[in-house]
Amino acid sequence: LLKILADFQFGVYLQSFVLTYATTHSRDRCTQYCLNQMIDHSQFFLKNYSNEDNAAFEFNFDGQNIQIKLDLDKLEKYNELNKELKNYSDTAILTILNIKAKNSSLNLANDIKILVSIALGKRVVFDKYMFSLDDTKEVVEREMSKNGNTGPQIIPAFEIKYFLEKSLPVWQKFTELQKKNIFIITDYLNQTRNDFIEDRLLRLVQAWECASHYWIEKIEISEELKILRKSIKETFQNWKKDSRYTDTNGELGKRLTNSIDQENLGLRLDKLIEESGLITEKINLELRKLKNLRDLVVHTGRINMTGEEAIKLLEPGVKGLQLILLKKLGYDGLINDSKNNWRTMDKLDLYFN
């Protein structure tokens, strides 16, 4: 069965050799006990990995050898069947050569999966992985996602190795909550290339709002706005006494002060930009306009401009948050850009003060 499936898969191999036979096959039966068993290497079958020749690489990390090599035969066949297969086939195999417990290898693979999702601008997952020790093989199958969300690729394929070398040590110092927060932001960003423009705007601004919530402390609104908020609440309470209206769950009261609360969110977004040092003029980022357009979609389901005009607001919004993510991860290499409709590359530090 594995051989038949392999004939329909395009693989990118992160390995020292290819495993052709599996002597042990299990479906999600790996207990904590067996995850502590020692292995000498492991393979993780990635979906949606880059299919460019220069995305292959090899480097050492924490005493472990990590390699990626393109399987050109499968790539050719994959391209032939791509119109039919779409996102069906696995597009990469990640192999980690180590003498460590299974859970250590699995955790590292999950870290790499999220980081390459940031680099490639699309949801990279593995629904199947294999543990090996000498001649003993164990295959685990578990579906992570039914679709491969996509956004713009921010890091050139030939820089992915350098990106991982820089970002992995930083990433592994993060808490589990910090990692989860970045995953959430990334997954929203990686849903901004396709679909209706209104949906893409919703996801993008949600990513920015998550980032401002995770990384910026709550900002106090001005004294003038505090007075206004208090006045609105008092007026509403007095009106309720004189009317027969029942404010179920306090929803009306919340909506009356929502605009002021939204101003607080706007201030946090401004603070996020300020603290990151991002040069918004360099990428034509107008975050407040982008947020206002999103708010219009929330309330009306529509935008008040052409799709082309909306794209000119959306694309810098995606790129700006991607750049901030890369800086947080310690990356300082090249990023993809475009000038006069030509694809170019620039150093990341050119986008920050």
Side-chain angles (χ1 to χ4, degrees):
L1 175 60
L2 290 175
K3 186 176 185 302
I4 294 171
L5 288 174
D7 289 339
F8 290 92
Q9 292 175 341
F10 142 66
V12 180
Y13 292 85
L14 182 62
Q15 58 183 15
S16 63
F17 62 91
V18 179
L19 294 173
T20 26
Y21 298 101
T23 57
T24 305
H25 183 202
S26 68
R27 287 182 177 269
D28 200 13
R29 293 185 293 125
C30 202
T31 64
Q32 187 62 42
Y33 171 77
C34 72
L35 280 175
N36 288 324
Q37 292 176 343
M38 303 306 293
I39 54 175
D40 54 26
H41 72 278
S42 54
Q43 291 181 306
F44 300 87
F45 298 77
L46 307 181
K47 289 183 176 179
N48 302 315
Y49 188 75
S50 175
N51 59 4
E52 298 181 45
D53 290 352
N54 50 15
F57 60 82
E58 176 179 353
F59 71 101
N60 293 318
F61 173 75
D62 194 25
Q64 300 169 89
N65 181 254
I66 299 173
Q67 309 163 18
I68 287 184
K69 298 178 183 178
L70 291 176
D71 186 325
L72 297 180
D73 292 334
K74 289 185 178 178
L75 173 58
E76 181 178 356
K77 189 167 186 177
Y78 176 83
N79 288 334
E80 292 174 357
L81 300 173
N82 189 45
K83 290 183 180 180
E84 296 179 17
L85 296 177
K86 294 184 179 179
N87 292 324
Y88 179 79
S89 298
D90 295 339
T91 58
I93 299 177
L94 165 69
T95 300
I96 301 173
L97 305 179
N98 58 3
I99 305 295
K100 290 196 173 184
K102 297 176 187 177
N103 58 350
S104 174
S105 199
L106 181 59
N107 290 337
L108 178 57
N110 275 310
D111 289 344
I112 292 173
K113 168 181 68 70
I114 295 174
L115 290 172
V116 295
S117 294
I118 295 172
L120 296 173
K122 55 185 174 181
R123 182 187 289 167
V124 178
V125 300
F126 48 83
D127 293 341
K128 178 174 68 175
Y129 49 95
M130 180 185 297
F131 295 121
S132 303
L133 179 63
D134 299 325
D135 294 329
T136 302
K137 325 295 179 189
E138 177 186 13
V139 176
V140 180
E141 294 187 21
R142 175 191 298 141
E143 186 174 66
M144 285 188 170
S145 174
K146 291 183 180 295
N147 61 73
N149 295 337
T150 59
Q153 180 172 333
I154 189 64
I155 293 184
F158 66 87
E159 282 278 77
I160 295 175
K161 170 187 174 182
Y162 180 68
F163 168 67
L164 287 177
E165 290 174 331
K166 298 291 288 188
S167 63
L168 261 175
V170 175
W171 178 265
Q172 295 201 330
K173 292 178 182 178
F174 291 159
T175 65
E176 288 305 310
L177 179 59
Q178 289 173 319
K179 291 180 180 181
K180 182 179 180 180
N181 291 344
I182 290 178
F183 169 78
I184 291 171
I185 294 168
T186 301
D187 212 44
Y188 277 123
L189 283 177
N190 291 351
Q191 299 179 63
T192 56
R193 168 169 275 181
N194 302 314
D195 215 336
F196 295 109
I197 184 65
E198 291 85 358
D199 293 324
R200 295 157 68 186
L201 286 165
L202 290 172
R203 294 163 189 151
L204 171 58
V205 178
Q206 186 65 49
W208 275 101
E209 290 188 357
C210 287
S212 70
H213 176 74
Y214 299 149
W215 300 335
I216 303 298
E217 295 292 332
K218 186 176 181 180
I219 298 176
E220 290 293 327
I221 57 177
S222 67
E223 287 301 317
E224 291 84 355
L225 288 178
K226 286 181 180 179
I227 294 172
L228 176 60
R229 194 176 196 279
K230 181 179 179 182
S231 178
I232 291 172
K233 292 179 71 174
E234 289 176 349
T235 301
F236 177 63
Q237 292 299 326
N238 292 332
W239 173 81
K240 281 205 306 180
K241 292 177 182 178
D242 297 332
S243 71
R244 297 180 180 180
Y245 182 80
T246 301
D247 187 15
T248 306
N249 298 323
E251 288 300 319
L252 180 58
K254 291 177 183 177
R255 289 199 295 270
L256 287 172
T257 57
N258 184 60
S259 295
I260 297 175
D261 296 333
Q262 285 295 308
E263 177 61 22
N264 180 272
L265 171 60
L267 293 173
R268 289 172 75 162
L269 291 173
D270 294 341
K271 188 70 172 177
L272 174 59
I273 294 290
E274 178 187 345
E275 290 191 358
S276 72
L278 180 68
I279 305 172
T280 55
E281 297 81 7
K282 186 171 177 63
I283 60 173
N284 300 315
L285 173 60
E286 297 181 275
L287 193 52
R288 285 288 187 133
K289 284 187 178 180
L290 190 62
K291 179 187 173 299
N292 291 339
L293 188 59
R294 188 287 306 267
D295 292 344
L296 183 65
V297 173
V298 170
H299 295 298
T300 69
R302 297 178 179 274
I303 57 176
N304 60 354
M305 59 181 66
T306 66
E308 183 178 354
E309 291 171 328
I311 289 293
K312 288 181 179 179
L313 286 174
L314 181 137
E315 290 183 344
V318 175
K319 185 172 185 177
L321 192 48
Q322 285 180 315
L323 295 176
I324 292 173
L325 275 172
L326 295 183
K327 184 180 179 183
K328 279 188 170 290
L329 290 168
Y331 180 65
D332 59 1
L334 294 171
I335 60 102
N336 287 322
D337 200 353
S338 63
K339 294 178 181 177
N340 301 320
N341 295 322
W342 287 90
R343 292 179 62 183
T344 61
M345 287 172 284
D346 266 326
K347 291 281 289 183
L348 179 70
D349 59 10
L350 296 177
Y351 296 84
F352 293 91
N353 291 315

